[in-house]
Amino acid sequence: MSPPTAPLAARLRDVLAREIKASELSRALVVVGPLVAAYFVLSEPALLNLGLVAISLLIPALRLRLAPRAVVLHYIVILVTFGTLFLAAPVKPLFVSLTALAAFLAVAVTRYGEALRTLGNWVFIPAVYLACEVREGVSAQEALRHAGVIIASSPIALALVCGIQFLDRRHGEAVPAAYGPAVAQWFVPAAATAIAVFAAAALVEVLNLAQGQWVIWSAASVVVGDLSASTGKLKLRAIGALVGVPLGLLVGIALPPSRIGYSLAVLGATLTLIAFSRYAVGFGLRCFLIALAAAFVGGASGVAEERVANVLMGGTFGLIAVALTDIVWRRLAQKAAKAG
């Protein structure tokens, strides 16, 4: 006799337990939630962008078990990188070159431990995203004001993350940091990432693409190993964008414009950066919530095309860069072997 079927509620609970990182999600909500609430009360867009700084500090702090001093250093590097790219943005060749350099360094840190790729990514992501975001569609004066508010209020994000760390240590949850073994062949993925980002950023600047940060980060994000692994990553991102964005727009069309809806959608999109065990689920839901947020403020027109096209364009640059660097590296290794 077969065992009784588990109740639907129990099955759903098991699925959620597998898919959602409840501990990390709760901590992220404590860190990002107050910033979104402050945006809703004060109507200051910079506070939403500050949420990205907060989550960018929190993710490595939790996953790498960083000491408070390391979190502070991470915070300083984010601000310095953001400020450098922001100030370089009016000079397009300089912005493209510095963005590629930042991408190279984000991967090069793995020479000291493979897990440090997480730390490098969470410097590159907020710096590039904010440098593009705060300038788009506004005057230079307004962009400067926006950037100033982010930097001036950023200690709040640092304090929230350090507060979470303090509570974890007080309850005995902290353990020594572990960065994993050093990556011997760190230069190849670092060079591939830099090449991909250089090409993507150049395209963004030449064509003045809207939401160019999506192209740039998509180019960097697919460089995760060999060509097969990078292709798999791009497939996951493409599926997430192709499914999530249209669904978000469809739901958004059925709902009226709403500031609170927009705030909650942005909060949800930020939390997806840390909340899910499977990348495809998190990225797909993030695309859904970004499209939904755009619909809530009446800006949904063109979002689907931009998001999907930017993900695919950036990812294609990443794949090409991985293939090129692999070919060049193999030829150099063969020449060195013959010479030896």
Side-chain angles (χ1 to χ4, degrees), residues 221-232:
S221 70
V222 301
V223 184
V224 292
D226 58 18
L227 188 59
S228 176
S230 296
T231 302

Side-chain angles (χ1 to χ4, degrees), residues 64 76 106 145 202 209 220 254 260 264 283 303 325 329:
L64 303 183
I76 293 171
R145 187 203 70 82
L209 295 178
I260 189 170
L264 292 174
F283 185 73
V303 167
T325 52
W329 187 259

Side-chain angles (χ1 to χ4, degrees), residues 9-314:
R11 289 185 176 183
L12 179 60
R13 187 166 55 249
D14 290 343
V15 170
L16 292 177
R18 288 195 304 270
E19 295 292 345
I20 297 176
K21 301 176 182 178
S23 176
E24 294 188 10
L25 175 59
S26 62
R27 286 162 172 76
L29 188 58
V30 170
V31 168
V32 181
L35 301 175
V36 175
Y39 158 76
F40 183 74
V41 173
L42 301 175
S43 298
E44 173 52 65
L47 293 173
L48 287 182
N49 287 327
L50 189 60
L52 178 60
V53 176
I55 202 73
S56 299
L57 290 172
L58 182 65
I59 291 173
L62 294 180
R63 294 180 182 173
L64 303 183
R65 302 183 290 276
L66 299 179
R69 285 183 297 179
V71 176
V72 173
L73 179 59
H74 180 203
Y75 161 78
I76 293 171
V77 174
I78 288 175
L79 292 189
V80 170
T81 307
F82 161 54
T84 300
L85 296 180
F86 174 79
L87 294 175
V91 185
K92 294 184 177 184
L94 181 61
F95 174 78
V96 171
S97 300
L98 289 176
T99 302
L101 175 61
F104 179 85
L105 295 175
V107 181
V109 293
T110 57
R111 67 181 299 182
Y112 303 107
E114 61 181 357
L116 288 174
R117 176 72 185 264
T118 297
L119 190 63
N121 284 348
W122 290 106
V123 171
F124 183 75
I125 293 171
V128 170
Y129 183 92
L130 294 177
C132 294
E133 175 76 9
V134 299
R135 283 188 173 275
E136 187 160 326
V138 299
S139 65
Q141 183 177 1
E142 175 59 21
L144 187 61
R145 187 203 70 82
H146 193 148
V149 173
I150 292 173
I151 292 173
S153 58
S154 62
I156 299 172
L158 176 63
L160 288 168
V161 173
C162 288
I164 290 292
Q165 280 195 305
F166 173 77
L167 292 175
D168 285 347
R169 289 173 184 273
R170 188 176 180 181
H171 291 89
E173 296 184 24
V175 294
Y179 304 138
V183 176
Q185 300 295 335
W186 62 269
F187 183 81
V188 177
T193 306
I195 292 169
V197 166
F198 184 91
L203 182 71
V204 168
E205 294 300 322
V206 170
L207 300 182
N208 292 315
L209 295 178
Q211 302 297 327
Q213 63 270 21
W214 295 345
V215 183
I216 296 170
W217 171 239
S218 290
S221 70
V222 301
V223 184
V224 292
D226 58 18
L227 188 59
S228 176
S230 296
T231 302
K233 181 70 174 291
L234 177 56
K235 286 180 180 178
L236 292 178
R237 290 178 64 83
I239 292 170
L242 288 167
V243 174
V245 171
L247 285 177
L249 293 178
L250 287 173
V251 173
I253 290 172
L255 298 173
S258 168
R259 278 190 67 239
I260 189 170
Y262 174 74
S263 301
L264 292 174
V266 172
L267 173 61
T270 305
L271 295 178
T272 62
L273 293 167
I274 193 174
F276 292 94
S277 299
R278 288 193 293 173
Y279 179 84
V281 175
F283 185 73
L285 185 55
R286 184 154 61 253
C287 290
F288 169 83
L289 290 167
I290 288 171
L292 183 61
F296 275 130
V297 293
S301 178
V303 167
E305 295 86 350
E306 287 175 4
R307 183 68 172 178
V308 174
N310 289 354
V311 166
L312 294 177
M313 280 192 295

